[in-house]
Amino acid sequence: MLYGKEHVRRYQETDGAEGHDWNGTTVLLLTTKGRRTGQPYTTPLIYQRHGDACVVVASKGGDPDHPQWYKNLQADPQVEVQVKGERFRARARTATDEEKPELWGLMTRTWPDYDEYQTKTDRQIPVVVLDPER
């Protein structure tokens, strides 16, 4: 099973032929700029399409703190996304309170564990919309 840096490497080398389909769901690569270092960081994340956008969840398995990639995009919402062989720049934003129920449902249908993760933490797990810049 692919995980972490190995997942990123294989995904990039094969344009997602290895790594896009993962554990019964789909994965994209999200590259953010480090808020302290300015260096690029690439993270494999479960996603779903919603119109032209991609949707991801900042769950960190229900940890009380947000994942680093989410903190990075809060500091700089300009990100790069790779879905299979398609690479594009996007602007990341946290789903609004009005959008979140629909998008949370979309994401829990593809990865039901998100509901369990939410029960593990007092923080509201953010749903993130990646709007392509085209």
Side-chain angles (χ1 to χ4, degrees):
M1 180 170 80
L2 292 175
Y3 182 77
K5 290 181 181 180
E6 177 68 8
H7 195 154
V8 171
R9 185 182 68 76
R10 299 269 290 282
Y11 196 116
Q12 289 171 330
E13 288 176 352
T14 67
D15 281 341
E18 293 182 49
H20 177 267
D21 297 334
W22 179 84
N23 282 2
T25 190
T26 53
V27 171
L28 58 70
L29 298 182
L30 176 69
T31 302
T32 60
K33 184 167 56 171
R35 64 193 182 288
R36 293 188 197 118
T37 66
Q39 297 299 310
Y41 291 95
T42 302
T43 307
L45 297 169
I46 294 169
Y47 82 99
Q48 287 292 292
R49 294 269 188 187
H50 188 262
D52 290 339
C54 293
V55 178
V56 296
V57 176
S59 67
K60 199 176 178 184
D63 193 86
D65 196 18
H66 292 305
Q68 294 302 316
W69 63 263
Y70 182 74
K71 293 177 183 180
N72 288 344
L73 68 79
Q74 286 182 303
D76 183 355
Q78 296 301 126
V79 298
E80 293 181 10
V81 178
Q82 181 176 346
V83 176
K84 294 186 178 179
E86 178 189 11
R87 294 169 178 83
F88 57 92
R89 294 185 55 75
R91 184 166 195 82
R93 63 181 180 81
T94 303
T96 65
D97 290 343
E98 293 76 26
E99 294 173 302
K100 187 174 179 181
E102 176 188 356
L103 298 178
W104 184 262
L106 173 71
M107 295 308 294
T108 57
R109 283 190 295 279
T110 195
W111 195 254
D113 289 351
Y114 288 135
D115 281 329
E116 178 189 340
Y117 300 162
Q118 184 60 77
T119 68
K120 292 180 178 181
T121 183
D122 290 333
R123 77 177 166 95
Q124 284 299 306
I125 294 176
V127 175
V128 176
V129 180
L130 305 170
D131 291 312
E133 293 183 346
R134 298 187 185 182

